[in-house]
Amino acid sequence: MTETVIKTDKLTKRFGDFIATNGITFEVHKGEIFGFLGANGAGKTTAMRMLCGLSKPSSGSAQVAGFDVYKQTEQIKRNIGYMSQKFSLYEDLTVVENIRFFGGIYGLSNADIKTKSESLLAQLGMESEAKKLVGSLPLGWKQKLSFSVAVLHRPKIVFLDEPTGGVDPVTRRQFWNLIYAAAQDGITIFVTTHYMDEAEYCNRISIMVDGKIEALDTPRALKQRYNTTTMDDVFYQLARGAKRSE
Amino acid sequence: MKQFLTFVRKEFAHVLRDRKTLLILFGMPVVQILIFGFALTSEVKNSRVLIVDNANDAASQQLLTKIEASQYFEVDRSVMSPLQMEAAFREGEIKMAIVFPANFNEDLLHQNQAHVQIVTDASDPNTATSLTNYVSSIIQDYQASLNQTLSVPLRILPETRFIYNPQLKGVYNYVPGVMALVLMLVCVMMTAVSIVREKETGTMEVLLVSPFKPVLVILSKAVPYLILSLVNVGTILLMSIFVLDLPVAGNLLLLLAESTLFIITCLTLGIFISIKTSSQQVAMLISLMGMLLPTMLFSGFMFPIENMPVPLQIISNIVPSKWYYLIVKAVMIKGLGFSAIWKETLILAGMTLFLFVISLKNFKIRLA
Ligand SMILES: Nc1ncnc2c1ncn2[C@@H]1O[C@H](COP(=O)(O)OP(=O)(O)OP(=O)(O)O)[C@@H](O)[C@H]1O
Ligand SMILES: [Mg+2]
């Protein structure tokens, strides 16, 4: 019996005449790693922002953690973590200050923040960087830190918008280990990516083309359906008809 | 509440970490006061003073020696007709003329009082007052020394006259002006930029996804600048008291309360700008062009508003600093009470309320 944590029905966002996200319908199950793929401009970020309560859908419906995206954004916010496409820690604050701040605004107690930040730094192997300014860290470390901060308050679901963009392969691998560890803890992962090798790490993936979800299944099933051995190829077959590109 | 404090602490960390900006913020009022102050007062030292001694008697000689002993200005003795004197003033050859009447000593002995005429070029009102005060105090000293040995006190009455700017317009007016300018800069620009920075870097999005109330995000950003501005007000007041010898003539608490009101006006203005813009550069530009420039032009401390064309006079009414400037001038320099400034206070409060309401409205739309 799988529990559904995200459920959308014909979720749509229009910007004037332009339909950024066009009637997407899907479900995400508790504890799974759900890959949300699509070319540049496909509408991934737009969809994610609606699910996080950052932008109001034009039509359709969606529940996140059992709450309605129109009316219950406050409850949704309490149950999710979010890592935006832009790097979004404070570069002029130290690592510890960032952790303390985000822990603080999620209402964690001081004692809780202290133990969590210690275990977090140990997990990332960043104990000696604790007092350094975040701006001075390499990108890969920043992204890992950013992820750890996004799950600091143990959300039910964490939304990751291209968390590994521009990061080297080794660090990407480490990043995915963090994702696995979080998933083991029962956190549902909703992640967008451009890297097809990362798609393979997901339990299920959806592929968006021009605002619509064109395919949704496990990586293995998709490869079978499109009669190929690589996700790259699946993606290419689906996305070549796309009109939008950057 | 704890979340709010967490947020305020973080804002302070931002402000305190940025040493360069901090230095500018705290140094600016000091530098401005000094620059304005010295630009206006430094001339006292080399001012040429003309002495026309029509009496040339014992008393006038004694007094003159005292005046000449001062190292503050260069003294010239000469006999000039009023016309020649006027020409000398016009040419800028002299800043001040001290004229003794022909029967100075006699008047003093027989009528127990004598007049001295002190004429000062007040086109630079600051120098003029300093010079006049200085000479008057020398005369008073001399009078006191005479009276030590006498039973009937003698009086030397200086007749001071300012030419070119008899109302001494502009004297110390720059202090309220600097206050308005500094507060405007700190509150409007810094608040706007610090909120827009979060939008630009993307941290605002993360904050909006958190359960922290968006309105509190904005409010907690205003707190550090409120405190910083109060410190700046304190600095300016201390400097004006101890460096410029310009005490607060009116009620200090009233002045502080009015300043707090103006600070809040500026903060709301900064918040409004930050809601309407999405890049730091634009926010900075709007703050500078839209706020700082009007403050300099229209508050009346650099250019008298009465002399402006009517359309500009009307425009000046929507500049908040104009009202604050009037308030500070009234309380600090003229020593007036609340009854004299309630209208200005009401206007400022109204502006604040208006800005607050439209900020709130626009803010909600953004989140939809
Ligand atoms: N606020 C907006 N107003 C108008 N158009 C927008 C707005 N936000 C996004 N769009 C448009 O919607 C489309 C989808 O954008 P979105 O950011 O969701 O794409 P994406 O799949 O996340 O792409 P990327 O991989 O580049 O991040 C793009 O064409 C974009 O230009
Ligand atoms: Mg995107």
Side-chain angles (χ1 to χ4, degrees):
Chain A
M1 173 67 215
T2 50
E3 192 186 325
T4 303
V5 288
I6 303 175
K7 184 171 164 48
T8 72
D9 187 27
K10 300 198 188 67
L11 192 64
T12 301
K13 181 78 186 185
R14 287 192 191 84
F15 295 111
D17 286 342
F18 182 75
I19 308 176
T21 301
N22 192 352
I24 57 173
T25 303
F26 64 91
E27 285 183 10
V28 177
H29 308 137
K30 184 173 171 10
E32 82 173 328
I33 301 177
F34 188 86
F36 201 60
L37 277 57
N40 286 120
K44 307 181 293 291
T45 301
T46 307
M48 199 179 258
R49 288 171 55 87
M50 286 190 283
L51 296 177
C52 293
L54 279 174
S55 107
K56 212 179 205 132
S58 309
S59 66
S61 68
Q63 283 88 44
V64 174
F67 299 107
D68 183 67
V69 291
Y70 289 94
K71 298 189 204 94
Q72 296 172 301
T73 49
E74 287 310 308
Q75 287 95 320
I76 290 177
K77 286 176 182 179
R78 238 164 281 165
N79 285 290
I80 62 170
Y82 175 63
M83 195 176 151
S84 83
Q85 194 164 353
K86 275 186 184 170
F87 175 70
S88 47
L89 295 179
Y90 294 98
E91 306 233 345
D92 59 338
L93 299 185
T94 65
V95 172
V96 173
E97 282 168 339
N98 267 290
I99 298 174
R100 215 182 282 147
F101 171 70
F102 283 104
I105 62 167
Y106 274 96
L108 303 186
S109 72
N110 288 343
D112 205 10
I113 292 175
K114 196 162 156 28
T115 52
K116 280 200 168 127
S117 59
E118 274 163 15
S119 68
L120 183 160
L121 290 171
Q123 190 187 14
L124 297 179
M126 283 175 60
E127 289 101 332
S128 54
E129 271 74 27
K131 297 232 152 52
K132 283 196 185 152
L133 294 187
V134 165
S136 70
L137 301 177
L139 179 67
W141 293 39
K142 285 184 190 169
Q143 293 301 86
K144 285 191 281 184
L145 181 63
S146 192
F147 174 76
S148 305
V149 167
V151 295
L152 194 67
H153 59 288
R154 302 276 109 198
K156 290 209 176 96
I157 310 159
V158 64
F159 291 88
L160 310 172
D161 199 353
E162 284 182 42
T164 53
V167 175
D168 67 83
V170 178
T171 316
R172 265 168 54 201
R173 192 65 238 201
Q174 292 168 345
F175 192 95
W176 274 89
N177 286 337
L178 290 177
I179 293 185
Y180 277 122
Q184 290 284 302
D185 280 356
I187 298 177
T188 306
I189 315 281
F190 186 98
V191 56
T192 75
T193 177
H194 276 170
Y195 299 107
M196 285 309 133
D197 57 330
E198 291 186 348
E200 305 267 8
Y201 304 152
C202 300
N203 299 123
R204 288 191 309 142
I205 55 173
S206 75
I207 297 179
M208 262 182 106
V209 180
D210 289 354
K212 294 196 182 109
I213 291 184
E214 293 292 344
L216 194 165
D217 215 326
T218 61
R220 176 203 287 252
L222 284 175
K223 280 183 282 189
Q224 258 170 10
R225 190 179 318 154
Y226 290 91
N227 204 7
T228 166
T229 52
T230 63
M231 276 312 298
D232 244 351
D233 211 35
V234 175
F235 190 77
Y236 177 70
Q237 290 189 39
L238 281 165
R240 75 182 149 196
K243 296 192 183 58
R244 289 182 203 167
S245 61
E246 296 277 293
Chain B
M1 192 59 205
K2 183 180 163 278
Q3 276 138 294
F4 186 68
L5 290 181
T6 303
F7 209 110
V8 172
R9 167 140 29 98
K10 175 210 127 204
E11 289 310 317
F12 269 108
H14 284 312
V15 175
L16 296 179
R17 190 136 303 158
D18 192 354
R19 288 284 149 81
K20 258 186 256 161
T21 311
L22 199 64
L23 193 71
I24 294 174
L25 290 184
F26 282 123
M28 189 175 51
V30 177
V31 171
Q32 284 195 345
I33 290 281
L34 290 180
I35 288 179
F36 278 98
F38 282 116
L40 293 171
T41 53
S42 64
E43 276 173 63
V44 174
K45 281 205 172 136
N46 331 327
S47 300
R48 288 169 62 89
V49 173
L50 172 77
I51 292 179
V52 183
D53 187 359
N54 296 322
N56 209 0
D57 53 29
S60 75
Q61 291 294 340
Q62 274 174 2
L63 185 49
L64 280 180
T65 328
K66 275 195 180 266
I67 293 174
E68 280 170 339
S70 142
Q71 307 117 6
Y72 280 95
F73 29 71
E74 295 171 35
V75 181
D76 263 344
R77 279 201 217 198
S78 137
V79 179
M80 273 192 191
S81 71
L83 261 175
Q84 284 171 308
M85 211 163 80
E86 210 186 302
F89 268 118
R90 221 178 17 242
E91 298 294 315
E93 280 166 22
I94 53 170
K95 274 275 166 205
M96 180 188 242
I98 304 172
V99 183
F100 289 87
N103 36 6
F104 183 68
N105 202 13
E106 262 165 60
D107 283 356
L108 208 55
L109 292 179
H110 298 136
Q111 296 170 16
N112 287 339
Q113 61 176 37
H115 294 269
V116 185
Q117 215 183 15
I118 302 175
V119 186
T120 317
D121 170 0
S123 57
D124 176 352
N126 227 22
T127 313
T129 17
S130 306
L131 276 175
T132 314
N133 289 344
Y134 196 69
V135 172
S136 305
S137 75
I138 296 177
I139 293 176
Q140 235 155 43
D141 270 359
Y142 175 68
Q143 180 188 300
S145 72
L146 283 182
N147 286 338
Q148 268 175 355
T149 53
L150 292 174
S151 49
V152 188
L154 299 180
R155 291 198 298 157
I156 301 172
L157 304 171
E159 278 173 6
T160 51
R161 192 158 72 84
F162 293 106
I163 54 173
Y164 301 135
N165 179 10
Q167 284 114 46
L168 285 182
K169 270 196 189 152
V171 74
Y172 294 132
N173 280 355
Y174 71 91
V175 175
V178 167
M179 277 171 83
L181 208 60
V182 166
L183 294 182
M184 206 74 187
L185 201 68
V186 172
C187 299
V188 179
M189 190 155 93
M190 298 308 290
T191 314
V193 167
S194 93
I195 296 175
V196 172
R197 188 192 298 131
E198 301 240 6
K199 282 201 223 172
E200 214 175 70
T201 56
T203 44
M204 186 59 95
E205 219 172 68
V206 178
L207 295 179
L208 293 181
V209 173
S210 82
F212 196 63
K213 291 256 181 310
V215 177
L216 291 183
V217 172
I218 305 285
L219 285 186
S220 47
K221 291 223 149 242
V223 173
Y225 297 109
L226 173 70
I227 293 173
L228 212 76
S229 306
L230 286 174
V231 172
N232 274 339
V233 170
T235 317
I236 295 177
L237 289 182
L238 285 176
M239 293 215 23
S240 90
I241 294 168
F242 293 110
V243 180
L244 303 176
D245 281 332
L246 175 71
V248 177
N251 187 328
L252 184 66
L253 278 180
L254 178 62
L255 185 61
L256 290 180
E258 296 284 346
S259 299
T260 311
L261 172 64
F262 180 65
I263 290 170
I264 294 173
T265 316
C266 294
L267 290 174
T268 353
L269 204 56
I271 288 171
F272 180 66
I273 293 176
S274 75
I275 286 172
K276 283 296 192 188
T277 55
S278 49
S279 93
Q280 292 183 61
Q281 258 110 350
V282 176
M284 193 123 72
L285 236 107
I286 292 184
S287 309
L288 283 176
M289 305 300 282
M291 304 302 139
L292 216 56
L293 220 57
T295 297
M296 300 220 263
L297 295 179
F298 292 130
S299 67
F301 93 98
M302 286 195 165
F303 311 101
I305 295 176
E306 315 75 275
N307 298 355
M308 290 181 183
V310 178
L312 290 186
Q313 288 189 28
I314 292 170
I315 291 177
S316 77
N317 288 328
I318 59 165
V319 178
S321 353
K322 172 188 166 173
W323 304 104
Y324 177 64
Y325 174 74
L326 289 177
I327 290 171
V328 178
K329 226 166 74 172
V331 177
M332 188 171 174
I333 293 176
K334 298 188 191 149
L336 301 176
F338 184 70
S339 56
I341 52 167
W342 66 271
K343 227 166 53 192
E344 286 83 357
T345 309
L346 210 64
I347 292 172
L348 262 190
M351 285 179 168
T352 313
L353 194 69
F354 173 74
L355 284 168
F356 192 76
V357 169
I358 54 170
S359 297
L360 220 60
K361 270 224 164 79
N362 281 283
F363 190 60
K364 279 200 180 122
I365 291 165
R366 273 201 68 81
L367 290 180

